[in-house]
Amino acid sequence: MQNLKELEAELALLKKYPKENLERIIKEVGFSCTCCGKCCTKAFNGHVFLLAEDARRLRTFSPESLMPAPDFPYSDPSGNFYVSGYALKTQENGDCVFLDETRHCRIYDQRFTICRVYPYMLHREPDCRGKIDWRQISGLDEHGEYDHLISDEECAEIARQTIAYETTFLEQEIAFHKAILQKFSDDGVRFVRKDHDLRLRAFLKTGKATVFVWDGSGFVKEEV
Ligand code: SF4
Ligand code: SF4
């Protein structure tokens, strides 16, 4: 988990990234989705993180499909955990709760921002040698088809949606970190990594915890 300064630096870099570079890469790769459904399975994506606006929308038609996103980065001395958003619940096999037995999305027309943007992305990640650089397409050569013709207009629209998603994601993370710093300061408590690791270990054993989830404007208390 990145700290506030690192997240703000990432957002500043993202804002400087030339949109035409992303458009060019989209055009060159020519990715075409074959609707195989792999990206909705545990094998491809550990969990599907939702932007706050998507979580709000999901709450209106299937609130039981929300869960606090895993990997809680903070906890307080009372043992409460904090996380920056919600994720989609999974089935017993780890696949998305909305994936049906024929590997199709049950709510395709209502699917979420990340489901629409995938596999496009625009954030910096280390490669297998640890070199950090921009990544634009997830799981390149592991799914879909390539070298299809994509019109300039479509490339521009994919790039626009991808950058909008990544910007909103970083803004949500930054807002969460600022809210945590403010809350801990107001409560006069301090985050202690060692204690947090012990709490996480206890949670892994019991599977039970109180988690405060950032919903874009405040924390929502959830019991897991
Ligand atoms: S909501 Fe639909 S498209 Fe999105 S991960 Fe789940 S099954 Fe896939
Ligand atoms: S985006 Fe890729 S993994 Fe997901 S359905 Fe399309 S081809 Fe399959």
Side-chain angles (χ1 to χ4, degrees), residues 50-77:
L50 296 174
L51 296 179
E53 65 204 47
D54 287 322
R56 267 196 294 275
R57 190 164 59 81
L58 177 54
R59 209 179 268 292
T60 65
F61 65 90
S62 184
E64 67 283 2
S65 303
L66 285 168
M67 67 171 191
D71 307 326
F72 315 134
Y74 292 107
S75 57
D76 65 23

Side-chain angles (χ1 to χ4, degrees), residues 31-40 44 118-119 143-144:
F31 176 82
S32 174
C33 174
T34 55
C35 299
C36 67
K38 274 193 227 166
C39 51
C40 313
F44 245 52
Y118 189 89
H143 60 120

Side-chain angles (χ1 to χ4, degrees), residues 101-119:
E101 46 293 332
T102 63
R103 280 204 168 182
H104 288 93
C105 177
R106 283 196 187 92
I107 55 153
Y108 189 77
D109 291 341
Q110 294 170 280
R111 69 199 191 285
F112 309 100
T113 314
I114 184 64
C115 312
R116 292 172 192 273
V117 162
Y118 189 89

Side-chain angles (χ1 to χ4, degrees), residues 141-222:
D141 293 330
E142 291 172 17
H143 60 120
E145 290 176 349
Y146 300 85
D147 302 321
H148 282 252
L149 182 66
I150 307 179
S151 71
D152 292 348
E153 293 72 28
E154 205 180 334
C155 290
E157 181 55 18
I158 294 168
R160 187 194 67 72
Q161 287 185 17
T162 305
I163 291 171
Y165 170 80
E166 297 286 2
T167 302
T168 308
F169 172 79
L170 281 173
E171 287 172 347
Q172 181 168 331
E173 291 293 320
I174 288 168
F176 163 70
H177 277 74
K178 285 184 175 168
I180 281 286
L181 289 174
Q182 188 63 52
K183 178 169 180 25
F184 281 20
S185 162
D186 292 348
D187 296 350
V189 299
R190 203 162 61 82
F191 176 69
V192 180
R193 166 68 51 197
K194 197 164 99 266
D195 296 345
H196 178 66
D197 290 345
L198 289 173
R199 288 181 203 118
L200 278 179
R201 238 172 276 161
F203 167 64
L204 286 178
K205 273 191 200 151
T206 64
K208 289 187 187 303
T210 301
V211 186
F212 286 86
V213 185
W214 180 248
D215 76 350
S217 56
F219 287 106
V220 179
K221 185 178 179 183
E222 304 279 359

